[in-house]
């Protein structure tokens, strides 16, 4: 069994997550993996579970937060075609 990096639970179905930068963690649930490994929005601090928005390698949860911090001309959606 392996011990969860986040909560310490010794669990027989634990799994390992490796991030792009090589950071690794062992987790007993996706909740613990998200808590430990997901990026946080540079503007509001929320955990970014989806794709998020990057401006100059800084992560934001949405275009609103990216614009509020960087004035980047970025949107979450594009207008529908007529």
């Amino acid at each position: 069994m392996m011990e969860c990096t986040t909560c310490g639970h010794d669990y027989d179905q634990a799994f390992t997550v490796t991030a792009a930068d090589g950071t690794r963690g062992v987790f007993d649930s996706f909740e613990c993996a998200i808590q430990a490994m997901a990026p946080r929005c540079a503007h509001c601090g929320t955990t970014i579970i989806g794709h998020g928005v990057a401006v100059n390698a800084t992560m934001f949860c949405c275009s609103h937060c990216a614009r509020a911090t960087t004035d980047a001309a970025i949107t979450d959606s594009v207008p529908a075609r007529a």
Side-chain angles (χ1 to χ4, degrees):
M1 293 202 297
M2 297 187 293
E3 188 175 292
C4 178
T5 301
T6 301
C7 72
H9 180 212
D10 195 19
Y11 189 51
D12 67 339
Q13 295 181 38
F15 55 92
T16 302
V17 174
T18 304
D21 67 359
T23 303
R24 295 173 58 106
V26 174
F27 304 102
D28 66 343
S29 65
F30 285 112
E31 291 89 350
C32 283
I34 290 166
Q35 178 66 31
M37 309 239 355
R40 303 294 191 272
C41 177
H43 180 72
C44 71
T46 195
T47 304
I48 302 170
I49 298 172
H51 292 267
V53 176
V55 177
N56 297 325
T58 301
M59 290 298 298
F60 300 94
C61 65
C62 63
S63 63
H64 165 79
C65 285
R67 287 191 310 272
T69 302
T70 69
D71 293 325
I74 191 168
T75 62
D76 286 327
S77 61
V78 293
R81 292 183 182 178

